Amino acid sequence: MPEALKITRTFAFLLVDRFPMFSLAAAIDTIRTANRMSEEAFYSWITVSANGTAVRASNGLEINVQYALADLPPADITFICAGLTTEFEDKPKVIATLRTLGRRGAVLGGLNVGSYILAEAGQLEGHRCTIHWENRAGFQERFPQIECTGNVFEIDRKRYTCAGGTTSIDLMLEIIKQDFSPALANEVANQFHHERIRSQTDRQRVGPERDLTGKSEKLRKIVELMADNLEQPKSAVRLAKAVGLSVRQVERLFLRHLNMTPGRYYMSLRLERARELLRQTHSPILDVALATGFTSHSYFAQSYRAQFGRSPSDERRTTY
């Protein structure tokens, strides 16, 4: 190990009600394994809750923590771990602590939906971030001024965010690579049968077809363009031109790999985003329609019912 690394780094994990256990375990086990593979106790970690009491995870298990926020010792990065809800007991205390840490220049991170809490605390202004794909639409609606990329993780100066799940592994592997070397990061990844270490530029899923690995690069590029242009959908001609194909060639590409037309696929993307907005925000249904490229309320309602078997208003009533 280089002489500069004879110190240690401590990560604090701030847990809130119904946090995702897998995201936490993936993050901690990755740095634990780095210690084992490097034969150095370089990383340490602590768990924290608002009052120092046990926190119930989304799977129902209660996790005892080591510290309350009032007794939080110095940490190199403080991660907030949140999942099924962004509302929880003692939230004002958590927000106040994050703001205080931010003013002091602390390094802050969010696992899964932790980015939402960081944003509410004003700690992502002027920074890139990411969040679990299921919550991205609601995040963008609530914080339009913040760049939420939809990548698997983001490191932007003193802000570290990831989409949770296995992306917690990728984020920690990137930290290990920066602290040690790509070789150690690969050794740790192999311990988890993590076949490919994803980079900061890797995207989360981009639509109903969640895994486009091994499929045409031009197909993936078109799908990304679709996903990035839902409010003002691009025409078939512009999509085809962007990848150097004819409209007919694009149609054949979609039929061969996805068994549907580009238009049908694009509509599915737009309706999925609409469902996310209906479930995650209180935006009027007409605003949701406009945000997903529908200029007619009746056409939106008709298309939504055809896709999901219920009307947008029924979706909203079920959610709230």
Side-chain angles (χ1 to χ4, degrees):
M1 177 186 292
E3 287 300 321
L5 295 184
K6 291 301 183 181
I7 59 173
T8 61
R9 294 188 72 185
T10 299
F11 296 159
F13 294 93
L14 171 56
L15 311 182
V16 301
D17 186 48
R18 302 175 75 190
F19 74 92
M21 179 75 77
F22 185 81
S23 296
L24 175 69
I28 291 178
D29 250 19
T30 302
I31 53 177
R32 175 195 63 79
T33 303
N35 286 346
R36 184 169 73 86
M37 303 305 292
S38 66
E39 299 183 344
E40 294 280 352
F42 180 66
Y43 295 107
S44 62
W45 51 91
I46 58 176
T47 52
V48 188
S49 70
N51 294 312
T53 54
V55 184
R56 187 178 299 275
S58 58
N59 61 10
L61 294 179
E62 284 199 347
I63 301 299
N64 291 319
V65 301
Q66 297 158 281
Y67 294 96
L69 282 177
D71 305 316
L72 179 64
D76 293 279
I77 307 178
T78 299
F79 289 97
I80 180 164
C81 190
L84 290 184
T85 181
T86 58
E87 300 300 325
F88 47 86
E89 190 175 357
D90 293 316
K91 182 175 178 179
K93 183 181 295 187
V94 169
I95 294 291
T97 299
L98 291 174
R99 286 174 176 162
T100 298
L101 290 172
R103 285 195 297 270
R104 293 173 179 171
V107 182
L108 301 173
L111 305 184
N112 201 292
V113 187
S115 304
Y116 199 99
I117 313 302
L118 287 175
E120 286 190 300
Q123 299 308 304
L124 291 179
E125 297 290 340
H127 291 80
R128 291 187 318 277
C129 73
T130 192
I131 198 168
H132 190 280
W133 65 264
E134 194 174 33
N135 302 91
R136 188 177 176 221
F139 184 96
Q140 291 176 311
E141 187 74 13
R142 175 69 173 78
F143 307 104
Q145 77 283 6
I146 298 176
E147 183 183 359
C148 186
T149 66
N151 292 337
V152 292
F153 68 85
E154 286 288 351
I155 299 175
D156 189 356
R157 291 158 290 166
K158 292 185 176 183
R159 298 295 178 264
Y160 292 66
T161 56
C162 74
T166 58
T167 71
S168 294
I169 298 176
D170 293 295
L171 175 59
M172 294 301 166
L173 289 173
E174 179 63 25
I175 293 172
I176 292 165
K177 183 168 68 174
Q178 293 179 8
D179 286 342
F180 288 87
S181 67
L184 180 61
N186 280 317
E187 284 186 55
V188 174
N190 289 340
Q191 292 293 310
F192 295 103
H193 300 284
H194 199 58
E195 294 183 2
R196 184 176 75 87
I197 301 177
R198 290 171 290 188
S199 73
Q200 188 164 326
T201 58
D202 278 294
R203 292 174 63 93
Q204 298 177 59
R205 70 135 210 176
V206 291
E209 183 68 23
R210 300 191 180 196
D211 185 9
L212 297 176
T213 304
K215 301 192 187 305
S216 163
E217 180 64 31
K218 292 189 175 183
L219 174 68
R220 284 184 284 167
K221 176 63 175 176
I222 293 171
V223 170
E224 288 181 7
L225 284 171
M226 289 177 171
D228 290 337
N229 294 274
L230 300 181
E231 185 171 356
Q232 295 180 323
K234 287 184 175 293
S235 68
V237 173
R238 292 185 66 185
L239 290 170
K241 186 177 180 180
V243 296
L245 296 176
S246 69
V247 172
R248 183 60 187 146
Q249 286 174 315
V250 170
E251 290 175 347
R252 286 198 293 265
L253 197 61
F254 271 76
L255 288 170
R256 181 166 69 249
H257 290 288
L258 301 177
N259 198 33
M260 68 176 73
T261 66
R264 180 64 256 173
Y265 189 89
Y266 210 165
M267 177 66 77
S268 295
L269 284 181
R270 292 161 59 197
L271 289 169
E272 280 209 348
R273 174 63 61 82
R275 181 165 64 173
E276 290 168 7
L277 288 171
L278 289 169
R279 289 178 171 180
Q280 299 170 26
T281 74
H282 294 276
S283 297
I285 291 176
L286 179 58
D287 288 355
V288 171
L290 294 173
T292 49
F294 294 91
T295 56
S296 164
H297 185 284
S298 60
Y299 181 52
F300 171 60
Q302 176 186 350
S303 301
Y304 197 94
R305 183 181 291 278
Q307 178 82 0
F308 300 116
R310 64 171 67 184
S311 69
S313 56
D314 286 340
E315 187 77 68
R316 174 60 56 77
R317 280 194 292 270
T318 301
T319 304
Y320 294 113

